[in-house]
Amino acid sequence: MKFQEAAKRVKKIKGFYTHLTVYIVVNTMIIIVNVQNLDEGESFFKFKTFSTALFWGIGLAAHGLSVFLPSLIMGKDWEEKKIKELMEKEKNNKWE
């Protein structure tokens, strides 16, 4: 059981790092294309240059929080305790 939980956690962490890598590669390419398409004298620092990175970054941050924050706030055994609690509640309510 502990091995399966650890494997599941590693899979979530790997998913986050894959997401982070794709974020960096794609946004680097977008920024390079935007720089190459600047008109002479046009400023690089515009909202359109960074909008994809900003909004995708918000999603990436949410993904990171969902992967790393629960164990920091709720502790290691929180999920297991919650599952047992819900199963017990379901068992007690089954015949009502």
Side-chain angles (χ1 to χ4, degrees), residues 20-36 44 49 52-53 56:
L20 177 63
T21 302
V22 171
Y23 171 85
I24 290 169
V25 169
V26 170
N27 282 295
T28 300
M29 291 177 3
I30 290 171
I31 289 173
I32 289 170
V33 168
N34 283 336
V35 167
Q36 290 175 344
F44 169 73
T49 305
T52 302
W56 190 353

Side-chain angles (χ1 to χ4, degrees), residues 16 19 55-70:
F16 171 75
H19 188 181
F55 293 115
W56 190 353
I58 292 169
L60 181 64
H63 186 181
L65 290 174
S66 74
V67 170
F68 296 108
L69 195 61

